Amino acid sequence: MAEEKRNKTNVIVVTPYDEFYEGFVDSVTLPSQDGLVGVMAGHMPLVLAIFPGVATVKCDGEEKHFVLSEGYAEIAQHMAMIVCDSAEWPEQIDVKRCYNSYVEFTRRIKEAPKGTYKVADWQETVNRAKVRIHLVELYGSDEQKNLLNELRGIEKS
């Protein structure tokens, strides 16, 4: 057992609300400003800014995908501690709420007068919604994907 864990990385994902995930994995891929960063056991120490995106943990041939919002990761040889504003599995995404948020805040950005101070906040909201939608497109249930397609159809009308 100890030998098995030596080749793994302990991944811990925490948000202000809970400990989202903890487990020993073969690798974790994290979204950062510079793109996706892969971490495996023995990784050099690193502090990484996390950007909204899809993260993946791989363990014993299985993959799990989830979305992360803004935060940071502290990487050590056998540990990756991710602290972020929110983290969600595909099945936790409220597709209707997410899509409506995307549409509403995209509209606000387009209609905002120049110099509106809220635009940066609205853009962050749009980015988080886009990432959640992307997670559903890739790894959501058929029901979630169908609802998303219905909402898009309504929007296009």
Side-chain angles (χ1 to χ4, degrees):
M1 181 77 164
E3 181 65 32
E4 194 174 295
K5 285 186 179 179
R6 186 183 323 227
N7 296 324
K8 306 265 186 197
T9 297
N10 187 20
V11 173
I12 304 163
V13 180
V14 295
T15 73
Y17 311 103
D18 66 354
E19 184 176 292
F20 175 76
Y21 179 84
E22 181 173 6
F24 284 89
V25 302
D26 297 321
S27 67
V28 60
T29 305
L30 302 169
S32 77
Q33 180 178 6
D34 297 323
L36 294 173
V37 175
V39 176
M40 298 173 68
H43 198 285
M44 66 181 225
L46 173 70
V47 175
L48 180 68
I50 299 294
F51 277 53
V54 176
T56 303
V57 290
K58 294 180 184 179
C59 188
D60 300 328
E62 287 188 44
E63 291 186 1
K64 293 181 182 180
H65 309 276
F66 52 97
V67 67
L68 294 174
S69 65
E70 301 83 2
Y72 72 93
E74 182 178 344
I75 311 299
Q77 283 193 331
H78 296 282
M79 188 265 312
M81 168 69 83
I82 297 105
V83 179
C84 56
D85 291 337
S86 67
E88 295 167 284
W89 298 109
E91 60 271 14
Q92 293 176 310
I93 304 289
D94 181 335
V95 175
K96 189 172 185 175
R97 180 175 171 241
C98 177
Y99 184 78
N100 289 339
S101 178
Y102 170 78
V103 170
E104 172 64 19
F105 285 93
T106 299
R107 181 191 60 75
R108 287 186 191 186
I109 290 169
K110 287 179 183 174
E111 294 175 358
K114 277 197 169 193
T116 303
Y117 71 97
K118 288 274 191 187
V119 169
D121 291 339
W122 296 341
Q123 187 61 56
E124 286 180 19
T125 300
V126 168
N127 292 344
R128 286 190 298 270
K130 283 167 95 171
V131 168
R132 286 180 172 110
I133 290 168
H134 185 62
L135 181 72
V136 168
E137 289 171 334
L138 295 175
Y139 308 109
S141 68
D142 289 340
E143 184 179 328
Q144 287 175 308
K145 291 175 183 178
N146 289 338
L147 177 56
L148 183 58
N149 288 333
E150 280 179 38
L151 292 167
R152 286 177 169 154
I154 291 168
E155 182 62 29
K156 290 177 185 176
S157 300

